Amino acid sequence: LRMASLLVRNGTVVNADYSRKADVLIENGIITAVGPDLAAPPGVEVVDATGKLVIPGGIDTHTHFQLPFMGTVSVDDFEIGTQAAVAGGTTMIMDFAIEMRGESLIAAYKQWREWADPKVVCDYSLHVAVTWWSEQVGQEMETLVREHGVNSFKTFMAYKGVFQISDSEMYQCYKQCSKIGAIAQVHAENGDLIDEQSREMVAQGITGPEGHELCRPEEVEGEATARAIVIANRANCPLYVVHVMSKAAAKAVLAGRERGAVVFGEPIAAGLGTDGTKYWHRCWRHAAAHVMGPPLRPDPTTPDYLMGLLASGDLLCTGTDNCTFNANQKALGKDDFRRIPNGVNGVEDRMSVIWEKGVYAGKLSPNQFVAVTSTNAAKVFNMYPRKGAIAVGSDGDVVIWNPDATRTISKDTHHHAVDFNIFEGMVVHGVPEVTVVRGRVVWSDGKLHTERGWGRFIPRPPNADLAFAAIRQREKVNPHALLDGRNFAAHGSGVTREPYDGPVIQL
């Protein structure tokens, strides 16, 4: 692939740790200089950023482009999805290769690469799902880490009979993750309860989208989140909780972190920008458009609560779970909410929604905004400082951000393939005026300038410091530490005692 060169002049560079007036020079796709009054090499395109912020391109940690799911396929494919991403200031997405039970993880990874590589217009990487367990799965996980640049594996506690695995399978998976230096991820909902209560809802005549939330209320998410944290901690494995959608789940993450568990929480644009009252909308299409798992919460104070935890650093990264289905696809569940394909949009609007609800609202600083939209993700998934920073040697992924401009979000102007936008009519401050991927301008003047296949797959090495430094230290000094601080090793390998030689009951 050819690489591009660019000089961004007169802007304010905003990283997670500092802000300063500086120019940014990108040569052959890499940042080669950051400083005042940089000279433009011959032939380099110059972009003026006077009065604007120059930030690292966003990293969306959670997308599902062209995902085969619930009998259909999400309509944002890897080209349309990444075009929507760059239009919103995101320069890298992280998607999921998901095999069915009994299938090869490596085969799934290769299938997703075949789908994505020819289409992506920005860089991307892949998490890989673990939907079953065997010795073969463990071996394939190790191969994916060693040979294919994967360092994260997702487990499901929901979607019974499809993706859901048992607690014991999760434990085996998480032990293997710890061994090979990979981060465990979890979709945390109690799938058994959901299965039971969803059938009860339908039996009671509740078949509309409101049944989706009623059968999986937030305590179902909170219980599973707490349980997953314990399982991961017992396996001495870092855990990344995807799409934290409720106060109950967020509080479980906080409680785990307070006890010393290595756990990271990811709220998403949908949960930060809207709420689950929409499931009771009189229009079935409107209500169904918001169906996702876990659901948006009807408590209207939830988005502000989650934003507060991003501000405090208790929740770390932001994704979107972008998985879009048109009206005719959602209509597969017109008579039974259990058949509504789960998923909403977000990859284009994530950055602006977080700026509006976070920075403009006075809850996040611009530096914190950069942290939660790119830098933290780069650190958790071991891509920093290649990604998530404007620094010499980093990839030339930058966004010229206008903090004062506004736009109105709408399905009529977005760049998704989907015919609905869950943020319809929202006016947001903070607009990406120019998006640059490895030195190439891919969005400017409200128009896309993309090329299919310009994006690259980004391999990620194992043992990210942010996730594994404490884990590896525990292995050295306290290998049998319990979650509550007690220590199996207090008496060596156990208690030395005389063997019992008394009577034993006959059964």
Side-chain angles (χ1 to χ4, degrees):
L1 286 174
R2 70 185 187 279
M3 308 299 268
S5 300
L6 185 75
L7 176 62
V8 180
R9 272 193 171 148
N10 304 321
T12 299
V13 170
V14 180
N15 277 313
D17 54 350
Y18 75 88
S19 303
R20 65 172 170 138
K21 296 277 188 181
D23 300 342
V24 180
L25 178 62
I26 304 168
E27 296 179 285
N28 297 318
I30 304 295
I31 296 174
T32 57
V34 180
D37 304 319
L38 298 179
V44 169
E45 181 182 0
V46 177
V47 176
D48 184 67
T50 299
K52 311 298 191 308
L53 308 180
V54 183
I55 65 175
I59 300 172
D60 188 335
T61 51
H62 191 152
T63 66
H64 295 287
F65 296 148
Q66 62 187 79
L67 173 69
F69 187 51
M70 298 182 73
T72 186
V73 179
S74 60
V75 293
D76 285 339
D77 69 5
F78 277 97
E79 180 178 18
I80 294 170
T82 52
Q83 285 180 328
V86 299
T90 288
T91 57
M92 180 176 177
I93 61 96
M94 304 184 75
D95 211 272
F96 293 80
I98 306 178
E99 83 291 345
M100 299 303 292
R101 177 172 284 270
E103 295 179 351
S104 164
L105 278 66
I106 293 174
Y109 164 84
K110 290 180 177 178
Q111 177 65 78
W112 259 258
R113 288 292 306 269
E114 289 176 8
W115 286 338
D117 285 350
K119 293 183 178 181
V120 287
V121 306
C122 69
D123 290 354
Y124 81 105
S125 198
L126 290 173
H127 314 289
V128 176
V130 175
T131 62
W132 61 296
W133 184 255
S134 72
E135 185 177 334
Q136 173 194 334
V137 171
Q139 292 170 349
E140 290 198 348
M141 290 169 64
E142 186 169 4
T143 299
L144 286 165
V145 168
R146 187 176 64 247
E147 300 178 13
H148 298 288
V150 174
N151 72 4
S152 48
F153 294 92
K154 181 182 181 182
T155 57
F156 292 84
M157 302 172 81
Y159 301 117
K160 187 173 182 178
V162 183
F163 298 145
Q164 181 178 336
I165 63 175
S166 68
D167 288 3
S168 60
E169 290 173 316
M170 286 173 60
Y171 178 64
Q172 294 299 325
C173 175
Y174 293 177
K175 284 203 301 181
Q176 178 68 349
C177 281
S178 182
K179 175 184 173 184
I180 61 181
I183 299 164
Q185 298 175 291
V186 66
H187 174 133
E189 292 182 284
N190 189 316
D192 291 328
L193 275 177
I194 292 168
D195 182 64
E196 292 290 335
Q197 295 206 307
S198 62
R199 284 190 277 112
E200 292 172 0
M201 291 288 167
V202 173
Q204 294 171 25
I206 301 174
T207 60
E210 68 278 9
H212 178 76
E213 204 284 332
L214 291 170
C215 76
R216 55 213 300 159
E218 71 172 79
E219 69 175 354
V220 171
E221 182 188 2
E223 180 275 331
T225 303
R227 179 158 41 101
I229 292 168
V230 171
I231 294 169
N233 193 77
R234 300 310 303 144
N236 200 31
C237 178
L239 183 68
Y240 184 95
V241 183
V242 301
H243 47 43
V244 174
M245 299 297 292
S246 65
K247 292 179 180 179
K251 288 174 181 176
V253 172
L254 264 64
R257 290 171 70 89
E258 288 172 355
R259 297 194 305 270
V262 181
V263 56
F264 310 106
E266 170 205 82
I268 63 172
L272 294 166
T274 187
D275 61 59
T277 57
K278 314 297 189 299
Y279 297 128
W280 282 264
H281 198 281
R282 298 289 295 177
C283 170
W284 185 93
R285 167 60 179 130
H286 186 93
H290 292 79
V291 167
M292 63 170 298
L296 294 157
R297 299 305 173 188
D299 178 353
T301 66
T302 299
D304 189 62
Y305 178 80
L306 296 175
M307 184 62 73
L309 295 181
L310 283 173
S312 67
D314 291 299
L315 298 177
L316 216 61
C317 304
T318 55
T320 59
D321 200 6
N322 192 103
C323 189
T324 51
F325 299 98
N326 280 326
N328 61 346
Q329 295 171 293
K330 292 278 187 176
L332 290 169
K334 64 184 180 63
D335 301 316
D336 185 342
F337 67 82
R338 295 172 297 179
R339 305 189 188 284
I340 299 172
N342 288 197
V344 298
N345 64 285
V347 74
E348 182 170 352
D349 300 319
R350 176 183 67 115
M351 301 280 280
S352 290
V353 166
I354 295 172
W355 187 274
E356 173 70 22
K357 303 294 186 179
V359 182
Y360 185 76
K363 294 181 175 65
L364 299 177
S365 70
N367 305 94
Q368 289 175 303
F369 171 79
V370 168
V372 302
T373 58
S374 67
T375 307
N376 292 345
K379 290 179 177 179
V380 169
F381 294 108
N382 218 11
M383 301 178 290
Y384 184 84
R386 179 180 183 180
K387 301 292 186 182
I390 294 180
V392 173
S394 299
D395 283 355
D397 302 337
V398 301
V399 174
I400 298 176
W401 188 264
N402 188 334
D404 302 315
T406 62
R407 67 183 180 94
T408 302
I409 298 174
S410 174
K411 67 177 177 57
D412 297 324
T413 54
H414 71 199
H415 295 81
H416 296 272
V418 71
D419 57 7
F420 193 93
N421 193 305
I422 61 170
F423 307 114
E424 186 72 33
M426 183 186 295
V427 177
V428 289
H429 295 79
V431 174
E433 293 197 346
V434 180
T435 303
V436 179
V437 175
R438 299 195 326 277
R440 175 175 180 163
V441 174
V442 293
W443 169 261
S444 65
D445 302 319
K447 297 178 181 178
L448 292 164
H449 312 285
T450 56
E451 177 184 337
R452 281 171 59 102
W454 171 256
R456 296 180 303 184
F457 176 79
I458 303 300
R460 296 171 288 125
N463 293 300
D465 284 345
L466 186 60
F468 275 95
I471 295 291
R472 297 303 180 224
Q473 184 66 13
R474 290 173 191 179
E475 291 171 346
K476 293 177 183 177
V477 302
N478 201 12
H480 302 292
L482 284 171
L483 186 65
D484 61 8
R486 290 182 292 125
N487 188 351
F488 278 145
H491 300 283
S493 60
V495 177
T496 301
R497 56 170 63 91
E498 293 296 322
Y500 176 80
D501 60 1
V504 178
I505 189 172
Q506 298 298 312
L507 300 178

